[in-house]
Amino acid sequence: MNGRDPEGRPSTPLHVPVLLETTLDLLAPALDREGPSTVVDATLGLGGHAEAVLRRFPRTTLIGVDRDPDALRRAGERLAPFGERFRPAHAVYDAIPEVLDREGVASVEGVLFDLGVSSMQLDQDDRGFSYSRDVPLDMRMDPGESRTAEAVVNEYPVKDLAQIFRVYGEEKLADRYARAVGTAREATPIRGSAELVGILERATPAALKSRGHVGKRVFQALRIEVNRELEVLERAVPAALDRTSTGGRVVVLSYHSLEDRIVKRALAARTVSTAPRGLPVETDETAPTFRMLTRGAPKAADGEVERNPRAASVRLRAAERIRGDPRTA
Ligand SMILES: C[S@@+](CC[C@H](N)C(=O)[O-])C[C@H]1O[C@@H](n2cnc3c(N)ncnc32)[C@H](O)[C@@H]1O
């Protein structure tokens, strides 16, 4: 089966987990050891990373979290051969503490976040993520939730739409696009992605028509708003770090600068000393509890990007707990 990226280009081969070997190598020191260990895959998706973790680390149990019930069902079929070593959890990833409490797990040796939408979600027209095919404006990662992109586009005040396009889409034409949407919806509600793209196209000055697909940033913004992606991530990374045991590792793959900034800040809060400048001694309270495992935010190698276009925008960050094990807190 071939996949498509949001612009409709084939993304073959499908479902290749991004930075797979690097991710496994980063987790290895925490999982390649005597005795059982637990990993949370906070973004299970189709279970590509999860399957590789379960294969490579035979003493590891993996708790696979996803807010999309369809992803959980498909990943569940794929991971069935691992029996009790795979534990599915339908949840938004800021609920990792509740998921672990339910599983009776105090702390874990690894957490993986592979952020964003899956190729399966992009491929399914009825999920409404595509701006290159005419699909209903939905974009909910969990179809059980109530707010759709159609509701955002038709019901939000124009000034809120402008703010969303500007902040979540980093869209320079945010005000202009929001006004155009506001005018268009006065006649009839905007229902489909092609209609929205048409409105954006007509509102784009000729000189700016060549800067990539007109829907790219606006659709990203709508997706983030519909799923409250950034505020959930702000809570989720600290929650995951809190439940990571000493020697345990947290690996995050982000795909745009807004996500990466949140991850960078959350990791920095634990990896630098909080002692006032010039204080000669570090105390247990001020010493960093994690150390960074990555320098900057490494990207995928050219070869991987050729094989897997989704890897083109990835930024990797990872950290290891060095003190303050949650089990002794
Ligand atoms: C990029 S895919 C993960 C792909 C996976 N690593 C693989 O190898 O198959 C991201 C998945 O995370 C899920 N997801 C995104 N945000 C989430 C959140 N806040 N809570 C739970 N799941 C989320 C999406 O539904 C999607 O299935």
Side-chain angles (χ1 to χ4, degrees):
M1 192 170 67
N2 286 341
R4 281 169 286 199
D5 70 10
E7 300 195 29
R9 293 178 304 228
S11 61
T12 46
L14 184 62
H15 310 321
V16 183
V18 176
L19 290 178
L20 180 60
E21 287 309 315
T22 311
T23 301
L24 295 175
D25 290 346
L26 279 165
L27 292 171
L31 306 180
D32 256 341
R33 53 178 210 176
E34 292 294 305
S37 55
T38 307
V39 163
V40 173
D41 183 341
T43 50
L44 182 66
L46 291 172
H49 284 102
E51 181 177 11
V53 166
L54 287 163
R55 273 191 201 291
R56 175 148 162 199
F57 307 109
R59 288 178 294 279
T60 297
T61 296
L62 182 137
I63 301 174
V65 175
D66 207 294
R67 69 198 297 182
D68 181 349
D70 198 31
L72 281 163
R73 186 182 55 73
R74 291 174 188 233
E77 284 167 14
R78 175 179 193 166
L79 302 176
F82 296 98
E84 284 296 299
R85 290 178 56 217
F86 168 61
R87 318 273 308 161
H90 181 221
V92 178
Y93 51 49
D94 61 346
I96 285 174
E98 290 78 7
V99 169
L100 292 180
D101 290 347
R102 254 195 325 266
E103 291 287 333
V105 174
S107 69
V108 299
E109 284 66 37
V111 184
L112 170 64
F113 289 89
D114 177 20
L115 302 174
V117 278
S118 68
S119 41
M120 175 197 81
Q121 290 164 333
L122 288 172
D123 286 349
Q124 289 176 336
D125 284 355
D126 59 342
R127 304 299 297 271
F129 288 102
S130 175
Y131 49 77
S132 60
R133 306 186 298 281
D134 189 16
V135 300
L137 288 169
D138 190 317
M139 302 195 194
R140 290 170 297 175
M141 287 186 191
D142 180 353
E145 283 165 18
S146 56
R147 187 189 19 239
T148 62
E150 185 181 315
V152 174
V153 164
N154 289 295
E155 293 166 19
Y156 277 30
V158 167
K159 71 169 180 15
D160 292 359
L161 280 183
Q163 161 100 347
I164 288 165
F165 296 166
R166 185 166 44 248
V167 178
Y168 295 165
E170 301 183 289
E171 173 55 74
K172 289 193 180 69
L173 299 175
D175 290 326
R176 185 187 268 260
Y177 285 163
R179 280 198 306 275
V181 166
T183 308
R185 72 190 187 187
E186 277 169 19
T188 49
I190 301 162
R191 300 270 183 232
S193 61
E195 199 180 341
L196 179 57
V197 166
I199 293 164
L200 302 176
E201 268 167 2
R202 289 190 290 281
T204 306
L208 295 178
K209 288 226 194 268
S210 58
R211 49 169 205 149
H213 196 291
V214 73
K216 187 172 180 181
R217 296 182 193 79
V218 166
F219 275 61
Q220 171 181 302
L222 290 171
R223 198 195 88 197
I224 290 174
E225 172 63 16
V226 165
N227 297 291
R228 297 261 186 258
E229 288 180 33
L230 301 183
E231 55 189 82
V232 171
L233 185 61
E234 299 243 18
R235 291 191 292 269
V237 180
L241 293 168
D242 283 345
R243 298 293 284 258
T244 301
S245 53
T246 302
R249 293 172 162 221
V250 176
V251 179
V252 189
L253 309 175
S254 317
Y255 295 87
H256 56 77
S257 56
L258 300 167
E259 289 171 344
D260 185 49
R261 213 174 298 151
I262 291 171
V263 175
K264 181 180 173 184
R265 228 181 282 142
L267 296 183
R270 310 288 175 108
T271 52
V272 296
S273 162
T274 54
R277 244 173 235 268
L279 202 74
V281 282
E282 190 81 83
T283 66
D284 277 353
E285 282 70 44
T286 60
T289 48
F290 281 78
R291 73 178 176 101
M292 287 303 297
L293 297 168
T294 45
R295 269 171 177 274
K299 301 176 184 179
D302 291 348
E304 174 163 0
V305 174
E306 266 161 40
R307 290 191 305 277
N308 187 2
R310 191 171 133 69
S313 51
V314 72
R315 302 281 181 280
L316 169 73
R317 294 188 191 270
E320 179 189 47
R321 185 183 280 280
I322 49 174
R323 67 168 62 75
D325 194 294
R327 288 167 300 189
T328 56

